[in-house]
Amino acid sequence: MTTRSIGSNALALAGSRFISATGAITASVIAARSLGPSGFGSFVAIIALAFVANIVVTFGTDTLVVREVAVDPATEEIGESIGLQLAIALPLILAAAVAVTLRASGALMIAAVGLLPGIWSTTSLAILRGRERMELAAVANIVGAAVAVGGAAIAAANEAEVAGFIATSVCGLTATAIVAVALTRRLVSTSWRPSLSTWTWRRAAPFASMVAATAVASSSGVLALEVFGAEDATGHFGAANRISEGMRLLPAAFFGAAFPAMTRSVHLTETYSRTIVRITVATAILITTVALVAQPMVNTMYGGFDGSVRPLRVLSIGLLPLLFRLKWSFELIAHGDEKAAANASIVAAAVTVVLATTAALVGGPTLVATASVVGIGVHAVVLGLKRRKNAGVAGDSAQQR
């Protein structure tokens, strides 16, 4: 077990994700300015589809690997995780190839190929997190972000279309995978040979349904506007969503760093509780700040995307329920109740998809942003009720003993 503290790990992970988010936002800004609202709408729609596909391929194995490596660094889950992901990714890549032959966008095929480096990136980063070496994960993420931004700049200079910018995103992911695997191999000697096990499928299933449902919910706004909204609406919402995604990575960094230690019940300590209070206050301050500077922020970053200002203000409000959604979800998983977390995610995803689709049909980006925030709130409430129920059951059991 590493001697690094949760604080230093959280700082490394937060810094890593901040730089990654900054890189993703910078690349999206370059793409938006080069492609315009309509082309950028297509870009973010394909990115959203790739995000969902990556979650499907991962099948929740990243969270499983983090937990298992935290308990036993010699776990066999690594090779089995890679084998499971390959078994899912290859049919999806084949389906994308068929779609392209039927005149779908070539950018879709490029995004599909990106699933392959994503497998090794996801697995190696999960190992580093499980070993509580977030500073090494940070190095890999920073390299990937730099490659993605540099690629986007080259694509813009060559007046590339959507496919060119999708390719730069895949290049960034590939760079992250190469660096992460190199660093992980020096830390863990477990075999990386892909293998298949029905046991891994069964164990990963709750994580898979949980993460897939969350991915569908987070992508529903962009996809609903792409299908049912006005042509430019997706671009305006996508710009606001890219900024809010960057902000969401910050609280996620803390819980990502604390999760391995939750297997040792760190979340039951007073220090953890006080930290949650501080993070809540900081989140409230961040929401207020975004509300005040949303207009100049959007103008400076994107230019010509005035329709993104109000959605950004609304989406920033979702940071508060997101904080508690992450808290209660990770705590349930640490207690071995991933099925409860998965069920809550499925309920919230269904609510979010219905709300986002309705909002896209009758309104615009701001209403879709509101639907997204309501969905996050529903998710947090369901998780909180389940966490409270579990705490009550545990208390009753302790009294009986």
Side-chain angles (χ1 to χ4, degrees):
M1 183 61 63
T2 180
T3 57
R4 289 174 58 84
S5 68
I6 292 175
S8 59
N9 273 322
L11 183 62
L13 197 55
S16 162
R17 292 185 172 178
F18 175 77
I19 293 174
S20 295
T22 301
I25 292 172
T26 302
S28 72
V29 167
I30 296 171
R33 289 180 175 273
S34 180
L35 297 171
S38 180
F40 186 64
S42 298
F43 171 80
V44 294
I46 292 175
I47 289 292
L49 283 172
F51 175 67
V52 173
N54 184 65
I55 294 299
V56 172
V57 169
T58 301
F59 203 75
T61 56
D62 55 337
T63 307
L64 179 61
V65 168
V66 170
R67 191 174 69 179
E68 295 305 308
V69 169
V71 175
D72 177 16
T75 179
E76 296 181 357
E77 294 287 353
I78 296 171
E80 293 176 356
S81 168
I82 294 172
L84 188 154
Q85 292 178 75
L86 282 171
I88 300 173
L90 294 178
L92 291 179
I93 294 172
L94 179 60
V98 172
V100 170
T101 62
L102 297 176
R103 300 196 177 184
S105 171
L108 185 64
M109 187 65 207
I110 296 173
V113 171
L115 294 173
L116 293 177
I119 292 173
W120 275 268
S121 173
T122 297
T123 304
S124 53
L125 290 175
I127 295 170
L128 292 173
R129 287 169 54 201
R131 294 287 289 158
E132 299 183 53
R133 295 300 303 270
M134 279 59 167
E135 83 284 4
L136 297 181
V139 172
N141 282 324
I142 291 169
V143 171
V147 170
V149 171
I154 294 172
N158 287 277
E159 299 182 351
E161 297 184 352
V162 173
F165 286 97
I166 295 295
T168 65
S169 177
V170 173
C171 287
L173 181 60
T174 302
T176 299
I178 292 171
V179 175
V181 170
L183 293 172
T184 305
R185 282 187 176 278
R186 301 182 63 176
L187 190 67
V188 177
S189 58
T190 305
S191 173
W192 287 65
R193 178 176 295 178
S195 61
L196 283 175
S197 168
T198 56
W199 173 240
T200 301
W201 283 86
R202 290 196 298 269
R203 294 190 70 195
F207 296 105
S209 57
M210 172 180 60
V211 180
T214 302
V216 169
S218 63
S219 303
S220 60
V222 168
L223 297 179
L225 283 169
E226 178 70 8
V227 176
F228 302 110
E231 190 173 65
D232 290 351
T234 310
H236 290 299
F237 178 81
N241 198 45
R242 293 298 277 180
I243 297 174
S244 68
E245 283 174 351
M247 293 187 292
R248 291 173 192 173
L249 291 175
L250 299 178
F254 169 77
F255 291 105
F259 178 56
M262 286 182 182
T263 61
R264 307 190 300 273
S265 300
V266 70
H267 54 292
L268 302 179
T269 64
E270 280 295 323
T271 301
Y272 177 86
S273 298
R274 288 195 296 270
T275 302
I276 295 298
V277 172
R278 296 190 191 101
I279 294 175
T280 303
V281 172
T283 300
I285 294 172
L286 178 59
I287 292 171
T288 303
T289 302
V290 171
L292 295 173
V293 303
Q295 182 75 60
M297 182 186 297
V298 169
N299 288 344
T300 301
M301 295 176 65
Y302 291 99
F305 279 71
D306 289 342
S308 301
V309 175
R310 291 178 65 187
L312 175 58
R313 287 173 175 150
V314 173
L315 288 170
S316 69
I317 297 172
L319 289 172
L320 202 55
L322 174 74
L323 173 66
F324 291 96
R325 188 192 83 184
L326 291 167
K327 176 181 183 295
W328 290 321
S329 180
F330 275 117
E331 289 175 2
L332 283 169
I333 295 171
H335 280 280
D337 199 0
E338 54 266 22
K339 289 184 179 179
N343 292 336
S345 298
I346 292 170
V347 170
V351 171
T352 305
V353 169
V354 171
L355 291 176
T357 302
T358 303
L361 286 167
V362 304
T366 302
L367 192 58
V368 171
T370 303
S372 297
V373 172
V374 172
I376 296 172
V378 169
H379 196 169
V381 169
V382 175
L383 284 169
L385 292 174
K386 182 60 181 178
R387 183 75 181 92
R388 184 175 181 179
K389 180 181 178 180
N390 282 11
V393 171
D396 292 342
S397 298
Q399 288 181 355
Q400 290 174 4
R401 288 196 296 271

